[in-house]
Amino acid sequence: MKNGKTYLPKTEEITRKWHFIDADGQVLGRLAVRVAALLRGKRKAIYTSHIDCGDFVVLTNVSKIVLTGKKLEQKTAFSFSGYPGGAKLTPYSKLMAENPEKAVRIAVKGMLPQNKLADKQMKRLKLFKGAEHTHQAQAVTK
């Protein structure tokens, strides 16, 4: 760096790639860390924490994600309606059986910054229960 100036990428310079990840047999937390890093763009040379420079992520086979230990029986997902008595605790055994996409969204969102930037980054996460997805056009064949 010459003369100590900080480099800030412009919106025209940010290129977004598509990453396709098969979640079959992957551990939920470890996968969420990888996905959050891709959504934020932390592996790019132009990464800046307050600028959205992340990539798109397509996760397939979300229904085959595993939880280690006794988390499937003991871990719960918390949601609150905002009203008195509006707290809901959903066990992960029920959540993974009925809606595994929601479990992945909760895990990834918890690993992103808690601000407006995270909402933009979460929109680039595409989740699919099975192996088929609707983003074949973005896949680059080599």
Side-chain angles (χ1 to χ4, degrees), residues 2-57:
K2 294 180 183 179
N3 62 8
K5 291 188 178 181
T6 303
Y7 170 75
L8 292 175
K10 294 171 182 56
T11 53
E12 306 89 42
E13 297 172 353
I14 298 171
T15 57
R16 301 194 193 281
K17 293 182 182 176
W18 285 78
H19 299 274
F20 297 91
I21 301 173
D22 185 16
D24 188 10
Q26 302 253 357
V27 178
L28 176 63
R30 293 175 187 268
L31 180 65
V33 169
R34 283 180 47 208
V35 170
L38 290 170
L39 289 174
R40 290 193 73 192
K42 290 194 85 167
R43 297 185 178 153
K44 292 184 175 183
I46 62 168
Y47 170 71
T48 309
S49 61
H50 66 280
I51 295 175
D52 187 15
C53 56
D55 295 333
F56 288 89
V57 178

Side-chain angles (χ1 to χ4, degrees), residues 44-138:
K44 292 184 175 183
I46 62 168
Y47 170 71
T48 309
S49 61
H50 66 280
I51 295 175
D52 187 15
C53 56
D55 295 333
F56 288 89
V57 178
V58 178
L59 271 179
T60 56
N61 291 320
V62 173
S63 60
K64 297 179 183 175
I65 287 180
V66 296
L67 291 162
T68 57
K70 295 183 180 179
K71 290 187 191 91
L72 200 58
E73 295 86 30
Q74 295 176 351
K75 189 174 173 81
T76 58
F78 177 79
S79 63
F80 182 60
S81 68
Y83 291 97
K88 292 181 187 175
L89 292 173
T90 308
Y92 262 70
S93 57
K94 182 180 177 185
L95 190 64
M96 291 300 286
E98 293 176 1
N99 196 355
E101 295 101 339
K102 186 174 182 180
V104 174
R105 280 197 194 282
I106 291 169
V108 172
K109 183 140 176 97
M111 294 181 187
L112 291 175
Q114 314 302 310
N115 56 21
K116 294 177 185 177
L117 200 59
D119 296 334
K120 293 179 185 177
Q121 293 166 347
M122 283 298 291
K123 287 180 183 175
R124 290 196 307 272
L125 176 62
K126 314 297 181 189
L127 301 172
F128 297 95
K129 277 187 182 180
E132 298 298 318
H133 59 85
T134 58
H135 299 283
Q136 281 85 7
Q138 284 79 16

